[in-house]
Amino acid sequence: MWLSGQYKRPAEESEGQVGVITMSGGETAALLDCERRGLQVYAPAGYRWTPRVGQRVLVIQGKGEIPCVVGARQDGTAPDAVSIRAGNLSLEGNAVRVESGSDAVIEAENVRLEGQVYVKEETLEELITRIVMMILGGMI
């Protein structure tokens, strides 16, 4: 029968599947071999991520476990904007990079910068001093 060629084999336990997010936010659901609801969403420690409806995701399930979304398919292009929202934010390592031509937005209760902060080639302190001097120079 012609339909038999379109049948998708259900995934075995512990096998990953690619699906499309159908519900996001309070309850996460994805269309795999059938729609699966109540999926848990995993992200690297310290990050919070909510997949968007229509986004292609990888869903895995361990033996006896609830299926979980572990990542989203990347298209290989740099995003136009990077947005980070957190109660506390810690960026560690040698460098944090934002590609040119994109925006980075950090929304958090507290952001603590340790070390020297530069704006282009100028330290933050030098920039503030220069701006204050320009303002005071214009008032005299």
Side-chain angles (χ1 to χ4, degrees), residues 107-126:
E107 296 176 17
E109 287 181 27
N110 298 300
V111 176
R112 185 175 67 219
L113 302 173
E114 295 178 9
Q116 197 63 259
V117 177
Y118 288 86
V119 177
K120 295 188 179 182
E121 299 297 321
E122 191 173 26
T123 67
L124 184 57
E125 290 84 4
E126 292 170 344

Side-chain angles (χ1 to χ4, degrees), residues 83-94:
S83 183
I84 301 170
R85 292 176 182 85
N88 291 306
L89 176 64
S90 175
L91 301 174
E92 297 178 6
N94 292 334

Side-chain angles (χ1 to χ4, degrees), residues 20-49:
V20 177
I21 295 295
T22 56
M23 290 173 51
S24 185
E27 181 179 25
T28 302
L31 182 60
L32 305 164
D33 53 333
C34 61
E35 185 177 60
R36 302 281 178 97
R37 293 185 176 204
L39 300 176
Q40 296 177 353
V41 178
Y42 283 75
Y47 289 87
R48 182 166 176 81
W49 170 63

